[in-house]
Amino acid sequence: MDNMFRRIAVLLFLFIVTIGLVGCNTQEENKEESSQDQNSSAEVEEQEDGSQEESKLETEYPLTVTDATGTEVTFDSEPTKLVSLIPSDTEILFALGAGDEVLAVDDNSDYPEETGDLPKLGSTYSGLNEEELIALQPDVVFINTQLQPEVAAQLRAKDIKVFGSNPQSIEEIMEAITRTGTILNNQEEAKAVTDQMNEDLQYVKDKLANVEPKKVYAEYSAGWSFGSGEFANDLINLAGGENIFADQESWFEVNPEEVIKRNPEVILYTSGEEGAGQENKEQILSRDGWDVIDAVKNERVVGVNSTKASRVGPRITESLIEIFEAIHPKLAE
């Protein structure tokens, strides 16, 4: 009997010891798992922080970029003294958050309103104040090579760094914005601007899916219109319109009888900033014989902001939406 009790006691002792060991091992395993989880979380956080740092876009200098004149322009460091001699580039600089670094602009740069406080250096047509420009000692001067073909050579001859652009489409405008952002080390700002422009462009494309274009006559200067080969014509196409004078080229003086014959469904005229240009609409509506045109009969004579539409800058997709809404008002509702 004593032997039996001793055996039972030994078995109970071994059972208790075994349970204790299992419990200890489980606690150790839990500690190890908890430690591993904490380490994994820390690693994830480090990876996330690292990815955020990696995603930040920074320009490395020296930077060499080829401009629209085919000239390689080298920037040894981030340029901070800027001059713009074209309104579209002025708008780009301010949209990228570089407005405080702009020393002066041309006479026609009037947007944003902060440009009103900047020195004006004349214009391509009235003449540039080169003496004042040289005195500013800018790091770079931005120009448009199509509208100012001789300016680059003139300024470079005086050892002034010039960067010229000449975008001919919305895609090229966004490329110019990205390039300028790289030059200024404002790549994050440039991406934000072009992301919004892409969103605007996609909005219009989605709205116009499977929609027939409407016949459009655009008169952005009294008695004058344009045909294919002009950026304004491309905007009408993108906005769901069909220019009734697409068979013409460039800008030309319009024969009023031809407009009646081609019978546009929508007439666009320039309203300028703040809706100015009501007289342009009244002039169109008062023309002899134009009361038979569908656009006039159906009250589809609509003003668009010519400043936005004519500048190859960051507001061009705003203009696209405005033209789209003018041509297809029901789709915009």
Side-chain angles (χ1 to χ4, degrees):
M1 181 69 69
D2 290 339
N3 289 336
M4 182 179 296
F5 282 121
R6 279 198 295 269
R7 287 176 185 172
I8 293 172
V10 169
L11 288 173
L12 285 172
F13 174 76
L14 290 174
F15 177 75
I16 293 169
V17 169
T18 302
I19 292 298
L21 289 173
V22 170
C24 289
N25 287 337
T26 301
Q27 290 178 358
E28 289 298 322
E29 287 175 1
N30 288 338
K31 288 180 181 178
E32 288 179 6
E33 289 177 0
S34 176
S35 176
Q36 289 174 355
D37 289 342
Q38 290 176 358
N39 290 337
S40 297
S41 298
E43 288 175 4
V44 169
E45 289 178 2
E46 287 177 4
Q47 289 174 357
E48 289 178 351
D49 291 341
S51 64
Q52 289 176 356
E53 290 177 3
E54 289 176 5
S55 67
K56 187 175 182 180
L57 301 173
E58 291 284 346
T59 301
E60 293 185 5
Y61 300 95
L63 171 73
T64 299
V65 189
T66 302
D67 78 349
T69 66
T71 303
E72 288 189 346
V73 184
T74 298
F75 299 89
D76 294 323
S77 60
E78 180 181 328
T80 57
K81 297 166 64 179
L82 316 175
V83 168
S84 171
L85 297 181
I86 195 75
S88 54
D89 280 349
T90 301
E91 293 195 18
I92 290 174
L93 295 178
F94 275 87
L96 297 184
D100 291 341
E101 298 171 351
V102 178
L103 304 179
V105 296
D106 67 297
D107 286 356
N108 298 313
S109 288
D110 55 7
Y111 186 90
E113 63 181 22
E114 290 89 341
T115 56
D117 299 326
L118 293 172
K120 299 297 192 290
L121 299 174
S123 70
T124 305
Y125 308 104
S126 64
L128 295 172
N129 188 336
E130 290 188 10
E131 184 176 342
E132 184 176 353
L133 175 56
I134 294 171
L136 291 172
Q137 298 183 325
D139 292 333
V140 60
V141 176
F142 292 94
I143 68 165
N144 182 288
T145 57
Q146 181 181 29
L147 300 176
Q148 302 161 306
E150 299 176 358
V151 173
Q154 292 172 356
L155 296 180
R156 283 170 178 158
K158 294 177 172 59
D159 294 326
I160 296 176
K161 186 170 292 184
V162 174
F163 191 86
S165 61
N166 183 27
Q168 297 293 313
S169 66
I170 289 181
E171 288 73 18
E172 290 184 5
I173 293 172
M174 289 191 285
E175 289 172 5
I177 291 170
T178 299
R179 191 162 48 245
T180 302
T182 301
I183 291 171
L184 303 180
N185 195 23
N186 285 27
Q187 294 189 55
E188 295 287 346
E189 292 83 352
K191 185 178 183 303
V193 172
T194 55
D195 282 351
Q196 181 60 57
M197 294 176 71
N198 274 312
E199 186 177 319
D200 293 343
L201 188 58
Q202 192 60 50
Y203 163 78
V204 174
K205 287 180 178 179
D206 291 344
K207 287 286 188 178
L208 290 173
N210 303 315
V211 174
E212 288 294 322
K214 291 187 178 182
K215 295 193 298 180
V216 176
Y217 168 62
E219 185 171 300
Y220 291 172
S221 181
W224 286 75
S225 191
F226 49 83
S228 59
E230 293 295 325
F231 184 54
N233 182 74
D234 296 339
L235 275 183
I236 288 176
N237 291 337
L238 287 171
E242 180 182 347
N243 185 359
I244 63 170
F245 288 117
D247 58 335
Q248 304 293 316
E249 292 184 2
S250 190
W251 291 82
F252 61 94
E253 193 168 5
V254 175
N255 179 347
E257 294 297 324
E258 193 63 26
V259 178
I260 297 173
K261 179 181 176 181
R262 301 194 182 203
N263 192 25
E265 298 170 86
V266 180
I267 294 177
L268 303 178
Y269 67 92
T270 53
S271 62
E273 298 283 1
E274 304 299 331
Q278 181 64 25
E279 66 276 6
N280 295 338
K281 181 177 182 179
E282 293 173 356
Q283 186 183 57
I284 290 171
L285 294 176
S286 64
R287 288 175 185 160
D288 291 340
W290 280 39
D291 56 326
V292 301
I293 295 175
D294 283 347
V296 176
K297 289 192 298 183
N298 298 323
E299 298 182 346
R300 297 305 308 138
V301 180
V302 188
V304 295
N305 187 313
S306 58
T307 304
K308 289 183 183 179
S310 63
R311 293 182 180 176
V312 287
R315 295 193 294 163
I316 197 65
T317 52
E318 293 180 21
S319 177
L320 173 63
I321 291 176
E322 182 182 11
I323 295 171
F324 156 69
E325 291 175 345
I327 297 173
H328 297 279
K330 291 184 179 180
L331 291 180
E333 293 176 353

